[in-house]
Amino acid sequence: MTRALITGIGGQDGSYLAERLVADGLEVHALVLAADGHPAHCPAEVVLHEGDLGDVEATRRLVRDVAPSEVYNLAAISSVAQSWEQPDRTAHVNGQAAVALMESARLAGDVRFVQASSAEIFGEPAESPQTEDTAVRPVNPYGAAKAYAHLAARVCRQRDQHVSSVVLYNHESPRRPQRFVTRKITSTVAAIARGEADGLALGNLDARRDWGWAPDYVDAMVRAARADEPGDYVVATGTAHSVRELVAAAFAAAGIADWEPLVRVDPAFFRPADPTELVGDASRAREVLGWAPTVAFEEVVRRMVAADLG
């Protein structure tokens, strides 16, 4: 039986990935922080190993002992806002520890490695949409750390290591934690619809992002791991929407037409630096991996609101 090792199984992507790999018949192992307890939505078949990705030697021993054929590195400080509060920890977890895991995979032998990268590596890009060849020039600590790991993946390939970096654009699901703006929006809109809240406070409503469905993006990771050759792949829908549009879609899904009086802009939620628009061109993923998104923006938002409404 083929074995896989996942880091970051506690996030939305990790849980969907674990479900996918178990369904594919793999023996799935996952690294978890002891303080986090049993990850939500984690299939019972997954073998959990307590540890910290930042503990390089312990993680290296784990990779050697598990002897996986596929490694998926999803562990990260996943919030841009949090990265501003903890830039040093973000650099360590998202950058240095990720590269150390790539090296652990190389030392273990024939291992296919997938690094979960991010559109934030492009910062304020000079071109739109962005491709795998767009200049890497992040504007926040999260993007900077992810950029280091992304570039390291390219370096690893120079030694014939099967390391792919999937440049994930924003992707959502009901499993997204409420500290993320998308889930904050859908959960608060649901609370307003139930009469449990009277308003929604947000930052920049004009920021534009390329939002997709999380399980689709997990599918791209699996396809990258099993492709004949490793590479970089932008994973995106190719269409950008503003935060304002997402808010409107959420209220529409909750049956509230006159929503604007319920929303206020709070300067406290503005970030020190925030890309104006990020939208990706996933042509390479389509052509090489046979990947394509399956859920449209409005349906993603509708599913999240429906889950929050219960």
Side-chain angles (χ1 to χ4, degrees):
M1 180 183 291
T2 301
R3 292 192 190 96
L5 175 64
I6 302 171
T7 71
I9 195 172
Q12 65 165 0
D13 291 0
S15 66
Y16 285 120
L17 177 59
E19 290 172 348
R20 165 66 184 273
L21 296 179
V22 167
D24 285 350
L26 276 69
E27 178 184 310
V28 181
H29 295 250
L31 178 65
V32 295
L33 288 169
D36 289 346
H38 190 88
H41 310 289
C42 178
E45 297 90 339
V46 176
V47 181
L48 301 178
H49 303 267
E50 291 186 1
D52 187 335
L53 184 64
D55 186 340
V56 173
E57 291 307 315
T59 303
R60 189 152 293 170
R61 287 194 297 270
L62 175 63
V63 173
R64 182 195 62 207
D65 294 345
V66 171
S69 56
E70 299 174 358
V71 172
Y72 298 86
N73 184 38
L74 280 58
I77 302 295
S78 56
S79 163
V80 173
Q82 185 180 353
S83 79
W84 282 107
E85 298 167 1
Q86 299 178 304
D88 49 352
R89 175 167 163 73
T90 301
H92 178 62
V93 175
N94 295 15
Q96 296 168 339
V99 176
L101 187 61
M102 293 178 200
E103 177 63 4
S104 296
R106 186 188 71 84
L107 294 172
D110 186 16
V111 180
R112 296 190 170 206
F113 191 103
V114 175
Q115 168 65 19
S117 189
S118 166
E120 292 288 341
I121 68 174
F122 298 133
E124 191 70 65
E127 59 185 13
S128 185
Q130 296 86 52
T131 71
E132 294 80 3
D133 298 321
T134 297
V136 175
R137 49 183 191 187
V139 296
N140 55 55
Y142 173 86
K146 282 289 189 179
Y148 173 54
H150 174 77
L151 294 173
R154 294 181 177 179
V155 174
C156 288
R157 291 199 293 270
Q158 295 179 25
R159 297 197 292 186
D160 295 325
Q161 188 177 356
H162 199 295
V163 179
S164 290
S165 182
V166 287
V167 184
L168 305 173
Y169 279 65
N170 293 65
H171 50 288
E172 312 300 330
S173 77
R175 297 182 186 178
R176 177 66 95 181
Q178 291 192 18
R179 68 178 180 273
F180 288 84
V181 67
T182 48
R183 186 72 193 292
K184 174 184 176 180
I185 290 169
T186 62
S187 62
T188 305
V189 166
I192 291 171
R194 291 192 299 264
E196 299 170 0
D198 56 10
L200 171 62
L202 295 168
N204 183 9
L205 296 180
D206 296 321
R208 295 176 62 81
R209 295 291 183 270
D210 185 332
W211 277 294
W213 178 238
D216 285 344
Y217 289 51
V218 163
D219 177 57
M221 296 181 203
V222 176
R223 289 171 182 263
R226 298 173 189 174
D228 291 338
E229 299 294 333
D232 296 336
Y233 299 99
V234 165
V235 181
T237 71
T239 304
H241 297 273
S242 67
V243 175
R244 188 184 306 276
E245 289 176 90
L246 194 149
V247 171
F251 275 109
I256 300 173
D258 187 20
W259 59 267
E260 292 192 7
L262 301 170
V263 177
R264 66 180 178 87
V265 174
D266 186 341
F269 294 121
F270 279 75
R271 295 170 181 168
D274 199 21
T276 305
E277 176 171 308
L278 291 172
V279 56
D281 179 353
S283 295
R284 182 178 295 177
R286 291 174 184 270
E287 294 166 6
V288 178
L289 304 179
W291 177 86
T294 66
V295 182
F297 169 76
E298 291 79 7
E299 177 61 15
V300 171
V301 178
R302 189 200 66 76
R303 292 182 184 183
M304 293 177 71
V305 171
D308 284 323
L309 284 171

